[in-house]
């Protein structure tokens, strides 16, 4: 789960920001 | 009644596709064929690249990369687009019936392995034989310019152009692509999946909807469906080679930075 925490977050919360 | 269900599924996926992706083939083709109000700014050398960087893209996104080599700057901007597309694909996947009811780890696995295949299939929409749209369709970067970059950066896009030219010959539209992308995501043979049969059943339904939709949308293209299944296999190969190239760049190019989301996707991929 820790290995893919951003994907997990994107799946659960579409509003979470992912910036470069 | 089963046919009506498949038709309504096709409609649903098309709507989800239009809603979630900022760019689509209809918009891209209008720009590429000169039907847009403002033609895209053509990036064909270092000077036009600089001009585009100054005028087309937001200054916020370039933090820390302004002084880097052109190849590195282009690579970093490609990553920005990839990250944004992964976000869009995740939202699109959530619209596939039953997807959000799958085991969360399986959802992650399907995205991990599916997003790049889906991305390269959709990338064809913004490409022609001479180049590709960038900066939300405001720019057009030529294939020759990308080929003129130094090694290994000049090797990134050429295989995608070669795939895109063959893929675009099939003349799919956005409604076809929406089902094709959903079918890619729902691949039951991704490593580590728990509920394989559930995913296979979901993919079977999407594939049936795709077959029916192609039949009515392209009545004269009798081998289109089997050709598309072959493209799914070609995309896997394309992604495998891309992942290897990215690993090579990460090892040999000290100045490049790989976004944490993309790192997650590439780690232990193939």
């Amino acid at each position: 789960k820790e290995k893919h925490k951003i994907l997990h977050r994107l799946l659960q919360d579409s509003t979470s920001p992912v910036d470069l | 009644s089963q046919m009506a269900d498949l038709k309504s599924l096709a409609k649903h996926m098309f709507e989800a596709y239009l809603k979630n992706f900022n760019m689509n083939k209809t918009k891209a083709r209008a720009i590429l064929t000169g039907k847009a109000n403002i033609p895209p700014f053509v990036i064909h050398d270092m000077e036009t690249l600089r001009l585009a960087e100054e005028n087309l893209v937001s200054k916020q996104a370039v933090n820390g990369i302004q002084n880097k080599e052109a190849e590195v700057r282009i690579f970093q901007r490609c990553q920005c687009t990839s990250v944004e597309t992964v976000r869009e694909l995740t939202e699109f996947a959530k619209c596939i019936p039953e997807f959000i009811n799958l085991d969360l780890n399986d959802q992650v696995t399907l995205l991990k392995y599916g997003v790049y295949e889906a991305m390269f299939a959709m990338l064809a929409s913004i490409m022609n034989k001479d180049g590709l749209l960038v900066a939300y369709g405001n720019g057009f970067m030529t294939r020759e310019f990308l080929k003129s970059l130094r090694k290994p950066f000049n090797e990134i896009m050429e295989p995608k152009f070669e795939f895109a030219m063959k893929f675009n010959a099939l003349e799919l539209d956005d409604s076809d692509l929406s089902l094709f992308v959903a079918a890619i995501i729902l691949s039951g043979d991704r490593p580590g999946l728990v509920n394989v049969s559930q995913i296979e059943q979901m993919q079977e339904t999407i594939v049936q909807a795709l077959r029916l939709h192609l039949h009515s949308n392209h009545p004269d293209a009798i081998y289109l469906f089997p050709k598309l299944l072959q493209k799914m296999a070609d995309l896997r190969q394309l992604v495998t080679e891309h992942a290897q190239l990215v690993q090579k760049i990460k090892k040999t190019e000290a100045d490049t930075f790989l976004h944490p989301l993309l790192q997650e996707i590439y780690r232990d991929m193939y």
Side-chain angles (χ1 to χ4, degrees):
Chain A
K1 205 166 185 175
E2 268 305 292
K3 274 184 169 177
H4 298 104
K5 59 179 184 214
I6 307 175
L7 276 176
H8 272 272
R9 216 174 68 205
L10 283 177
L11 279 161
Q12 291 176 305
D13 177 12
S14 57
T15 57
S16 102
V18 181
D19 297 326
L20 191 74
Chain B
S1 135
Q2 202 205 347
M3 274 185 42
D5 286 350
L6 293 173
K7 274 187 183 173
S8 105
L9 175 60
K11 186 168 174 272
H12 169 78
M13 292 321 304
F14 184 32
E15 283 165 1
Y17 174 99
L18 293 177
K19 188 179 114 200
N20 288 296
F21 297 110
N22 173 279
M23 181 53 77
N24 59 50
K25 193 167 180 179
T26 305
K27 279 192 209 171
R29 268 25 237 181
I31 302 169
L32 289 169
T33 55
K35 293 184 185 96
N37 289 335
I38 310 163
F41 178 78
V42 179
I43 302 162
H44 62 94
D45 59 10
M46 291 299 171
E47 177 58 26
T48 45
L49 175 68
R50 267 293 180 200
L51 281 169
E53 286 175 322
E54 278 161 27
N55 300 303
L56 288 189
V57 284
S58 82
K59 296 282 176 287
Q60 202 189 359
V62 295
N63 266 344
I65 68 165
Q66 296 98 321
N67 299 324
K68 294 196 176 184
E69 189 188 8
E71 280 80 353
V72 174
R73 299 199 306 270
I74 295 172
F75 184 69
Q76 302 301 88
R77 288 198 195 284
C78 277
Q79 286 194 53
C80 289
T81 310
S82 304
V83 167
E84 179 57 20
T85 311
V86 171
R87 205 191 51 72
E88 292 177 339
L89 275 161
T90 306
E91 291 308 303
F92 173 74
K94 288 181 194 172
C95 298
I96 302 172
E98 296 300 312
F99 184 87
I100 52 166
N101 298 328
L102 288 169
D103 177 280
L104 187 58
N105 291 311
D106 279 357
Q107 293 181 38
V108 168
T109 302
L110 292 178
L111 287 174
K112 178 187 177 80
Y113 288 93
V115 286
Y116 269 96
E117 290 173 22
M119 219 186 293
F120 293 153
M122 295 192 297
L123 188 61
S125 299
I126 59 164
M127 285 178 156
N128 65 21
K129 69 173 175 36
D130 299 317
L132 83 161
L133 293 176
V134 294
Y136 303 103
N138 295 311
F140 179 82
M141 191 174 279
T142 69
R143 188 173 177 178
E144 281 305 315
F145 176 59
L146 285 160
K147 271 164 98 170
S148 78
L149 300 176
R150 77 165 170 84
K151 259 185 138 185
F153 296 96
N154 59 348
E155 295 165 9
I156 300 176
M157 293 311 286
E158 196 51 27
K160 283 74 177 177
F161 277 108
E162 283 164 20
F163 171 82
M165 292 313 102
K166 291 179 270 175
F167 191 67
N168 285 346
L170 300 179
E171 300 189 305
L172 300 185
D173 66 19
D174 288 309
S175 64
D176 309 321
L177 284 166
S178 68
L179 289 163
F180 183 64
V181 168
I184 288 173
I185 294 169
L186 293 174
S187 296
D189 58 351
R190 305 299 192 191
L193 285 176
V194 181
N195 297 316
V196 171
S197 66
Q198 191 186 2
I199 294 160
E200 282 174 344
Q201 269 178 20
M202 287 165 63
Q203 191 192 40
E204 179 57 25
T205 308
I206 290 282
V207 167
Q208 276 185 34
L210 175 63
R211 182 161 34 193
L212 184 71
H213 182 73
L214 293 174
H215 194 71
S216 66
N217 202 26
H218 303 263
D220 300 324
I222 45 171
Y223 297 118
L224 187 52
F225 179 68
K227 280 179 188 169
L228 268 184
L229 296 184
Q230 179 57 46
K231 292 299 171 200
M232 289 174 83
D234 297 347
L235 281 162
R236 283 193 187 204
Q237 185 56 32
L238 194 62
V239 171
T240 307
E241 286 164 15
H242 178 81
Q244 285 163 355
L245 183 56
V246 170
Q247 294 305 333
K248 183 173 141 187
I249 290 173
K250 206 178 135 200
K251 267 193 200 155
T252 58
E253 300 293 331
D255 225 13
T256 57
F257 165 88
L258 198 55
H259 188 282
L261 173 60
L262 306 182
Q263 278 187 40
E264 272 187 25
I265 294 170
Y266 287 127
R267 191 183 301 134
D268 308 320
M269 191 188 208
Y270 291 118

